[in-house]
Amino acid sequence: MEQPELRRAVEAGRAVASELGLRTDDVAVVHNSDRVALRLVPCDVLARVAPSATLAEAEFEAEVARQLAGVGAPVAELDPRVPPEVHVRDGFVVSLWTYYAPVGPEISPADYADVFMRHHAALRRIDLDDAPHFTDRVAAALDAVEDRGRSPELTDADRTFLGDTLRGLAVEIGGDRTGDQLLHGEPHPGNLLSTRRGPLFVDLATCCRGPVEFDLAHAPEEVAEHYAGADPDLVRRCRALNWALFCAWRWRTEDQMPDRDHWRAEGLNRVRAALGSRSVS
């Protein structure tokens, strides 16, 4: 968020917490992108603030968190001192979460795989009828790639490459859904915190259905080697798909990722590498 919008988001997060009886003397910005994460002190709450257009997404994430907390999943939890609701304030949606101070050491591949297995087991115990399939995400990415108005700087050759890759891998991976289950959706290292409670997944709004290999493909490559029963070839194809999705978002005119130009080129390189093709410069 740009500074004027960020200031309004900070005030919205502070106001919601204060109205719910949580003392907020200071605010630190933990993360700033299309939505922000704020640490409120001394109440020690993590406030997640996003534009009001994302209300349905925020409510879905809160429901995922509530259900997973109920079955002991290794996930970040909503703050227990206030009602588990999403609040609307000054054009923003605000949700209040437990703040987890990061601790070391770095999560090992074996521990990453272990938390994956526990998380996937917990996801099999909850019911989310409205969770999308991962192919819905592919369809949204394809819309951005095929709409020249939304991705005007994408060359014709790269547009064809990305579109063909997204369509082809969606069919290969999503054609047989017999082994699908609920997934985290984007469990990359940035969404797995090392805390005093052990590793915890965050950013639960990406929950979707698909094979467990789709989740494993977001983690470092060594992790899948420790996950019993994972299909290495399917992980490879899912990794290529995940990079294609990542790359598709970077070419949208509305994308706000820092160093976007670098990641546009790097994303295309990573897709080709994952497919076993020659990397481009």
Side-chain angles (χ1 to χ4, degrees):
M1 293 183 185
E2 299 296 334
Q3 281 302 314
E5 187 180 19
L6 177 60
R7 286 193 292 269
R8 290 178 48 240
V10 168
E11 287 308 310
R14 185 201 300 268
V16 167
S18 297
E19 289 174 0
L20 291 170
L22 298 173
R23 182 179 167 190
T24 305
D25 296 339
D26 197 12
V27 180
V29 178
V30 177
H31 177 75
N32 179 21
S33 59
D34 54 341
R35 62 180 178 179
V36 296
L38 311 170
R39 184 184 181 186
L40 311 181
V41 291
C43 62
D44 224 14
V45 166
L46 187 78
R48 301 184 67 183
V49 187
S52 57
T54 63
L55 175 60
E57 178 182 322
E59 290 178 334
F60 175 73
E61 180 176 35
E63 178 60 22
V64 174
R66 283 193 291 267
Q67 291 201 34
L68 285 174
V71 295
V75 296
E77 298 182 10
L78 293 160
D79 191 285
R81 294 169 290 180
V82 297
E85 301 169 355
V86 176
H87 308 271
V88 179
R89 177 88 180 204
D90 191 25
F92 295 99
V93 293
V94 180
S95 54
L96 301 178
W97 300 77
T98 299
Y99 176 78
Y100 299 93
V103 300
E106 183 178 348
I107 300 169
S108 70
D111 288 342
Y112 209 131
D114 175 72
V115 74
F116 254 141
M117 288 186 281
R118 291 188 288 116
H119 187 48
H120 288 154
L123 283 161
R124 290 192 290 271
R125 295 176 59 193
I126 67 173
D127 184 19
L128 288 169
D129 291 336
D130 55 345
H133 195 262
F134 82 88
T135 51
D136 296 338
R137 190 179 304 174
V138 177
L142 270 170
D143 285 344
V145 168
E146 294 175 344
D147 185 343
R148 294 177 184 274
R150 297 182 63 196
S151 52
E153 297 176 90
L154 188 60
T155 68
D156 288 345
D158 288 337
R159 191 183 306 278
T160 298
F161 169 68
L162 267 182
D164 289 349
T165 299
L166 288 166
R167 275 188 295 270
L169 289 174
V171 171
E172 288 182 31
I173 299 167
D176 180 6
R177 302 190 181 190
T178 55
D180 288 358
Q181 69 153 77
L182 284 173
L183 306 172
H184 179 285
E186 288 188 5
H188 54 72
N191 282 340
L192 183 60
L193 301 182
S194 179
T195 77
R196 291 185 179 86
R197 280 186 51 194
L200 298 177
F201 284 111
V202 299
D203 283 359
L204 306 176
T206 54
C207 180
C208 62
R209 296 186 183 277
V212 295
E213 286 83 358
F214 184 80
D215 265 359
L216 289 169
H218 286 82
E221 293 186 13
E222 300 85 354
V223 173
E225 299 171 7
H226 296 272
Y227 192 105
D231 180 339
D233 181 63
L234 184 53
V235 173
R236 179 186 63 81
R237 286 181 285 161
C238 287
R239 196 176 303 279
L241 177 61
N242 288 336
W243 275 112
L245 289 166
F246 172 88
C247 189
W249 303 138
R250 303 291 75 80
W251 289 96
R252 298 173 301 165
T253 55
E254 67 268 28
D255 185 62
Q256 298 181 23
M257 184 171 183
D259 205 11
R260 183 178 66 173
D261 289 343
H262 163 77
W263 285 111
R264 284 175 168 181
E266 181 65 12
L268 289 167
N269 284 339
R270 296 293 185 96
V271 176
R272 289 185 167 94
L275 290 172
S277 303
R278 181 176 63 86
S279 181
V280 298
S281 60

